[in-house]
Amino acid sequence: MTAALLLLADGRFPAGGHAHSGGAEAAVKSGRVHDHVSMAAFLTGRLHTTGLTAAALAAAAALDPDAGALDAVDQAAEARTPSPAQRAASRRLGRQLLRAARATWPHPLLDGLKDRHPGGAHQPVVLGATAHAAGLTPADAAAVAAYESVNGPATACVRLLGLDPYLVTAQLARLAPALDDVTARAVAAARSGELPAASAPLLDVYAEQHSSWKVRLFAS
């Protein structure tokens, strides 16, 4: 199912991720991210905290797509998202991903998720359910979640700072071993039932600050 995996991970898949910076816009405004080096540090930190947590949630959702299990994973996602702004963004992204997924891979599992969560389930939960509907594995779901945790912010940094896209892509390539490691850890955690709660408090602060801005380039 390599083609399905590539399609789901493609930034052009109409799931709304292009409108979100994953905290990068606020980090740029604060001055913490201002060049390729600081961007690399930001991406690395994001991958090993919120990226790991999202990857494990996605793997858990793909591992056991029963309605009750999915709702339990959604509750776990809610508990691991302390920022109201991030919760809203996650559910909005989940709603957008579910719309695209139902059009691409029609499946009763996705229909049921929509019916039970009309306001949107958390994005990693929808990602895991989508992976199952597309015939992908929990590891595939975790890999996409881990990749999204750094690719979206990296792309945002190109737009926000005018960074060289070739150098930004090279940095993402250097993160490949860490992405594989996070994916493996996420799948192991999902299979053990001990989901991680790795957090990045500054991202929570950034999310709340960003949500109050009257002028911004990204939705989050």
Side-chain angles (χ1 to χ4, degrees):
M1 301 300 292
T2 303
L5 176 60
L6 293 174
L7 178 61
L8 186 57
D10 192 331
R12 291 165 294 187
F13 190 73
H18 66 280
H20 295 260
S21 76
E25 185 168 22
V28 167
K29 185 173 181 178
S30 74
R32 290 182 182 272
V33 174
H34 52 85
D35 57 13
H36 292 94
V37 175
S38 55
M39 180 205 69
F42 177 81
L43 296 180
T44 300
R46 201 175 192 289
L47 172 63
H48 288 283
T49 54
T50 57
L52 172 61
T53 300
L57 291 166
L63 184 65
D64 187 359
D66 173 79
L70 283 179
D71 290 348
V73 177
D74 191 73
Q75 291 173 4
E78 182 81 0
R80 287 161 174 76
T81 313
S83 161
Q86 285 193 334
R87 289 179 190 169
S90 178
R91 291 196 181 278
R92 184 163 60 249
L93 282 168
R95 187 170 63 250
Q96 291 173 305
L97 172 57
L98 186 57
R99 180 181 179 186
R102 293 177 69 224
T104 308
W105 297 288
H107 195 287
L109 175 69
L110 302 179
D111 296 337
L113 195 58
K114 180 181 183 298
D115 291 340
R116 296 193 309 279
H117 298 275
H122 279 289
Q123 195 270 353
V125 180
V126 179
L127 177 58
T130 298
H132 178 81
L136 300 174
T137 68
D140 292 331
V144 173
Y147 176 67
E148 287 179 344
S149 75
V150 293
N151 183 58
T155 302
C157 286
V158 173
R159 296 172 63 184
L160 291 162
L161 292 168
L163 298 181
D164 185 333
Y166 294 100
L167 296 180
V168 170
T169 301
Q171 180 55 46
L172 288 174
R174 284 190 285 272
L175 279 174
L179 282 163
D180 290 341
D181 177 64
V182 165
T183 297
R185 290 164 57 197
V187 173
R191 293 191 184 283
S192 71
E194 298 181 0
L195 296 175
S199 63
L202 194 53
L203 284 179
D204 298 328
V205 173
Y206 283 159
E208 293 305 307
Q209 292 175 344
H210 186 272
S211 67
S212 69
W213 295 356
K214 297 186 181 301
V215 178
R216 58 191 179 191
L217 183 60
F218 293 92
S220 72

Coordinates of all heavy atoms in Angstrom, one line a residue, residues 1-59:
M1 N 0.8 -1.2 0.0 CA 0.0 0.0 0.0 C 0.9 1.3 0.0 O 0.5 2.3 0.6 CB -0.9 0.0 1.2 CG -1.9 -1.2 1.3 SD -3.0 -1.3 -0.2 CE -4.0 0.1 0.1
T2 N 2.0 1.2 -0.7 CA 2.9 2.3 -0.7 C 2.3 3.6 -1.3 O 2.5 4.7 -0.8 CB 4.2 2.0 -1.5 OG1 4.8 0.8 -0.9 CG2 5.2 3.2 -1.4
A3 N 1.5 3.4 -2.3 CA 0.8 4.5 -3.0 C -0.1 5.2 -2.0 O -0.1 6.5 -1.9 CB 0.1 4.1 -4.2
A4 N -0.9 4.5 -1.2 CA -1.8 5.1 -0.2 C -1.0 5.9 0.8 O -1.4 7.0 1.2 CB -2.7 4.0 0.4
L5 N 0.1 5.3 1.3 CA 0.9 6.0 2.3 C 1.5 7.3 1.7 O 1.4 8.3 2.4 CB 2.1 5.1 2.7 CG 3.1 5.7 3.7 CD1 2.4 6.1 5.0 CD2 4.2 4.7 3.9
L6 N 2.0 7.3 0.5 CA 2.5 8.5 -0.1 C 1.4 9.6 -0.3 O 1.6 10.7 0.0 CB 3.1 8.2 -1.5 CG 4.4 7.3 -1.4 CD1 4.8 7.0 -2.9 CD2 5.5 8.0 -0.7
L7 N 0.2 9.1 -0.7 CA -0.9 10.1 -0.8 C -1.3 10.7 0.5 O -1.5 11.9 0.6 CB -2.1 9.3 -1.4 CG -3.4 10.1 -1.7 CD1 -3.1 11.3 -2.6 CD2 -4.5 9.3 -2.2
L8 N -1.3 9.9 1.5 CA -1.7 10.4 2.9 C -0.7 11.4 3.4 O -1.0 12.4 4.1 CB -2.0 9.3 3.8 CG -2.5 9.6 5.2 CD1 -3.8 10.4 5.1 CD2 -2.7 8.3 6.0
A9 N 0.6 11.1 3.1 CA 1.7 12.0 3.7 C 1.9 13.2 2.8 O 2.6 14.1 3.2 CB 3.0 11.1 3.8
D10 N 1.3 13.2 1.6 CA 1.6 14.3 0.7 C 1.0 15.6 1.2 O -0.2 15.7 1.6 CB 0.9 14.0 -0.7 CG 1.4 14.9 -1.8 OD1 1.7 16.1 -1.5 OD2 1.4 14.4 -3.0
G11 N 1.8 16.7 1.2 CA 1.3 17.9 1.7 C 0.2 18.5 0.9 O -0.5 19.4 1.3
R12 N -0.1 18.0 -0.3 CA -1.2 18.4 -1.2 C -2.5 17.7 -0.9 O -3.5 18.1 -1.5 CB -0.8 18.3 -2.6 CG 0.3 19.3 -3.1 CD 1.0 18.9 -4.4 NE 1.7 17.6 -4.3 CZ 2.4 17.1 -5.3 NH1 2.5 17.8 -6.4 NH2 3.0 16.0 -5.1
F13 N -2.4 16.7 0.0 CA -3.7 16.0 0.3 C -4.5 17.0 1.1 O -4.1 17.7 2.0 CB -3.3 14.8 1.3 CG -4.5 13.9 1.5 CD1 -5.0 13.1 0.5 CD2 -5.2 13.9 2.8 CE1 -6.1 12.2 0.8 CE2 -6.2 13.1 3.0 CZ -6.7 12.3 2.0
P14 N -5.8 17.2 0.6 CA -6.6 18.3 1.1 C -7.1 18.2 2.5 O -8.3 18.1 2.8 CB -7.7 18.4 0.1 CG -7.9 17.0 -0.3 CD -6.5 16.4 -0.4
A15 N -6.2 18.1 3.5 CA -6.6 17.9 4.9 C -6.4 19.2 5.7 O -6.6 19.1 6.9 CB -5.8 16.8 5.5
G16 N -6.0 20.3 5.1 CA -6.0 21.6 5.8 C -4.7 21.9 6.5 O -4.5 22.9 7.1
G17 N -3.7 21.0 6.5 CA -2.5 21.2 7.2 C -1.6 22.4 6.8 O -0.9 23.0 7.5
H18 N -1.8 22.7 5.5 CA -1.0 23.8 4.9 C -1.3 25.2 5.6 O -0.6 26.1 5.6 CB -1.3 24.0 3.4 CG -2.7 24.4 3.1 ND1 -3.8 23.5 3.1 CD2 -3.3 25.6 2.8 CE1 -4.9 24.1 2.8 NE2 -4.6 25.4 2.6
A19 N -2.5 25.2 6.3 CA -2.9 26.5 6.9 C -2.4 26.6 8.3 O -2.7 27.6 9.0 CB -4.5 26.6 6.9
H20 N -1.7 25.6 8.8 CA -1.3 25.6 10.2 C 0.3 25.5 10.3 O 0.9 24.8 9.5 CB -1.9 24.4 10.9 CG -3.3 24.5 11.1 ND1 -4.0 24.9 12.2 CD2 -4.3 24.2 10.1 CE1 -5.3 24.9 12.0 NE2 -5.5 24.5 10.8
S21 N 0.9 26.3 11.2 CA 2.3 26.3 11.3 C 2.9 25.5 12.5 O 4.1 25.4 12.6 CB 2.8 27.8 11.5 OG 2.6 28.2 12.9
G22 N 2.0 24.9 13.3 CA 2.4 24.0 14.4 C 3.2 24.8 15.4 O 4.2 24.3 16.0
G23 N 2.9 26.1 15.6 CA 3.6 26.9 16.6 C 4.8 27.7 16.0 O 5.4 28.5 16.7
A24 N 5.1 27.4 14.7 CA 6.3 28.1 14.1 C 6.1 29.6 14.0 O 7.0 30.4 14.2 CB 6.6 27.5 12.8
E25 N 4.9 30.0 13.7 CA 4.6 31.4 13.5 C 4.9 32.2 14.8 O 5.5 33.3 14.8 CB 3.2 31.7 13.0 CG 3.0 33.2 12.6 CD 1.7 33.4 11.9 OE1 0.8 32.6 11.9 OE2 1.6 34.5 11.2
A26 N 4.4 31.7 15.9 CA 4.6 32.3 17.2 C 6.1 32.3 17.6 O 6.6 33.2 18.2 CB 3.7 31.7 18.2
A27 N 6.7 31.1 17.3 CA 8.1 31.0 17.6 C 9.0 32.0 16.8 O 10.0 32.5 17.3 CB 8.6 29.6 17.3
V28 N 8.6 32.2 15.6 CA 9.3 33.2 14.7 C 9.1 34.6 15.3 O 10.1 35.4 15.4 CB 8.8 33.1 13.3 CG1 9.3 34.3 12.5 CG2 9.3 31.8 12.6
K29 N 7.9 34.9 15.6 CA 7.6 36.3 16.2 C 8.3 36.5 17.5 O 8.8 37.7 17.7 CB 6.1 36.5 16.4 CG 5.7 37.9 16.8 CD 4.2 38.1 16.8 CE 3.9 39.6 17.2 NZ 2.5 39.8 17.2
S30 N 8.5 35.5 18.3 CA 9.2 35.6 19.6 C 10.7 35.8 19.4 O 11.4 36.2 20.3 CB 8.9 34.4 20.5 OG 9.6 33.3 20.0
G31 N 11.2 35.4 18.2 CA 12.6 35.5 17.9 C 13.4 34.2 18.2 O 14.6 34.1 18.0
R32 N 12.7 33.2 18.7 CA 13.3 32.0 19.0 C 13.7 31.2 17.8 O 14.7 30.4 17.8 CB 12.5 31.1 19.9 CG 12.3 31.7 21.4 CD 11.5 30.8 22.2 NE 11.3 31.3 23.6 CZ 12.1 31.1 24.6 NH1 13.2 30.3 24.4 NH2 11.9 31.6 25.8
V33 N 12.9 31.3 16.7 CA 13.3 30.7 15.5 C 13.5 31.9 14.5 O 12.7 32.7 14.2 CB 12.1 29.8 14.9 CG1 12.4 29.3 13.5 CG2 11.9 28.7 15.9
H34 N 14.8 31.9 14.0 CA 15.1 33.1 13.1 C 16.1 32.7 12.0 O 16.4 33.5 11.1 CB 15.8 34.2 14.0 CG 16.9 33.7 14.8 ND1 18.2 33.5 14.3 CD2 17.0 33.2 16.1 CE1 19.0 33.1 15.3 NE2 18.2 32.9 16.4
D35 N 16.6 31.4 12.0 CA 17.5 31.0 10.9 C 17.4 29.5 10.8 O 16.6 28.8 11.5 CB 18.9 31.4 11.2 CG 19.5 31.0 12.5 OD1 18.8 30.1 13.1 OD2 20.5 31.5 12.9
H36 N 18.2 28.9 10.0 CA 18.2 27.4 9.8 C 18.5 26.7 11.0 O 18.0 25.6 11.3 CB 19.1 27.0 8.6 CG 18.6 27.5 7.3 ND1 19.1 28.7 6.7 CD2 17.8 27.0 6.4 CE1 18.5 28.9 5.6 NE2 17.7 27.9 5.3
V37 N 19.5 27.2 11.8 CA 19.9 26.5 13.0 C 18.9 26.5 14.1 O 18.5 25.4 14.6 CB 21.2 27.1 13.6 CG1 21.6 26.5 14.9 CG2 22.4 27.0 12.5
S38 N 18.3 27.6 14.3 CA 17.2 27.7 15.3 C 15.9 26.9 14.9 O 15.2 26.3 15.7 CB 16.8 29.1 15.7 OG 16.5 29.9 14.5
M39 N 15.7 26.9 13.5 CA 14.6 26.1 13.0 C 14.8 24.6 13.3 O 13.9 23.9 13.7 CB 14.4 26.3 11.5 CG 13.2 25.6 10.9 SD 13.4 25.2 9.1 CE 14.8 24.1 9.1
A40 N 16.1 24.2 13.1 CA 16.4 22.8 13.3 C 16.2 22.4 14.7 O 15.6 21.3 15.0 CB 17.8 22.5 12.9
A41 N 16.5 23.2 15.6 CA 16.3 22.9 17.1 C 14.9 22.9 17.4 O 14.4 22.0 18.1 CB 17.0 24.0 17.9
F42 N 14.1 23.8 16.8 CA 12.6 23.8 17.0 C 12.0 22.5 16.5 O 11.2 21.9 17.2 CB 12.0 25.0 16.3 CG 10.5 25.1 16.4 CD1 9.9 25.6 17.5 CD2 9.7 24.7 15.3 CE1 8.5 25.7 17.6 CE2 8.4 24.8 15.4 CZ 7.8 25.3 16.5
L43 N 12.4 22.1 15.3 CA 11.8 20.9 14.7 C 12.2 19.7 15.5 O 11.3 18.8 15.7 CB 12.3 20.7 13.3 CG 11.9 21.8 12.3 CD1 12.4 21.5 10.9 CD2 10.4 22.0 12.2
T44 N 13.4 19.6 16.0 CA 13.9 18.4 16.8 C 13.1 18.3 18.1 O 12.6 17.3 18.5 CB 15.4 18.5 17.1 OG1 16.1 18.6 15.8 CG2 15.8 17.4 17.9
G45 N 12.9 19.5 18.7 CA 12.2 19.5 20.0 C 10.7 19.1 19.7 O 10.1 18.3 20.5
R46 N 10.1 19.6 18.7 CA 8.7 19.3 18.4 C 8.5 17.8 18.1 O 7.6 17.2 18.5 CB 8.3 20.2 17.2 CG 6.8 20.3 17.1 CD 6.3 21.3 16.0 NE 5.0 21.6 16.1 CZ 3.9 20.8 15.9 NH1 4.2 19.6 15.5 NH2 2.7 21.2 16.0
L47 N 9.5 17.2 17.3 CA 9.4 15.8 17.0 C 9.4 14.9 18.2 O 8.6 14.0 18.3 CB 10.5 15.5 16.0 CG 10.7 14.0 15.7 CD1 9.5 13.5 14.9 CD2 12.0 13.7 14.9
H48 N 10.2 15.2 19.1 CA 10.4 14.3 20.3 C 9.4 14.6 21.4 O 9.4 13.9 22.4 CB 11.8 14.4 20.8 CG 12.9 13.8 20.0 ND1 13.0 12.4 19.9 CD2 13.7 14.4 19.1 CE1 14.0 12.2 19.0 NE2 14.4 13.3 18.5
T49 N 8.5 15.6 21.2 CA 7.5 15.9 22.3 C 6.1 15.6 21.6 O 5.6 14.5 21.7 CB 7.7 17.3 22.8 OG1 7.7 18.2 21.7 CG2 9.0 17.4 23.6
T50 N 5.6 16.7 21.1 CA 4.2 16.6 20.5 C 4.2 15.6 19.3 O 3.2 14.9 19.1 CB 3.7 17.9 20.1 OG1 4.6 18.5 19.1 CG2 3.6 18.9 21.3
G51 N 5.3 15.5 18.6 CA 5.4 14.6 17.5 C 5.3 13.1 17.9 O 4.5 12.3 17.3
L52 N 6.0 12.8 19.0 CA 6.0 11.4 19.5 C 4.6 11.1 20.1 O 4.0 10.0 19.8 CB 7.0 11.3 20.7 CG 6.9 10.0 21.5 CD1 7.2 8.8 20.6 CD2 7.9 10.0 22.6
T53 N 4.0 12.0 20.8 CA 2.6 11.8 21.3 C 1.6 11.6 20.2 O 0.8 10.7 20.3 CB 2.2 13.0 22.2 OG1 3.2 13.1 23.3 CG2 0.8 12.8 22.8
A54 N 1.6 12.5 19.2 CA 0.7 12.3 18.1 C 0.9 11.0 17.3 O -0.1 10.4 16.9 CB 0.8 13.5 17.1
A55 N 2.1 10.6 17.1 CA 2.4 9.4 16.4 C 1.9 8.2 17.2 O 1.3 7.3 16.6 CB 3.9 9.3 16.2
A56 N 2.0 8.2 18.5 CA 1.5 7.1 19.3 C 0.0 7.0 19.3 O -0.6 6.0 19.2 CB 2.0 7.2 20.7
L57 N -0.6 8.2 19.3 CA -2.1 8.2 19.3 C -2.6 7.7 17.9 O -3.6 7.0 17.9 CB -2.6 9.7 19.5 CG -2.4 10.2 20.9 CD1 -2.6 11.8 20.9 CD2 -3.4 9.6 21.9
A58 N -1.9 8.1 16.9 CA -2.3 7.7 15.5 C -2.1 6.2 15.4 O -3.0 5.5 14.8 CB -1.5 8.4 14.5
A59 N -1.0 5.7 15.9 CA -0.8 4.2 15.8 C -1.8 3.5 16.6 O -2.3 2.4 16.2 CB 0.6 3.9 16.4

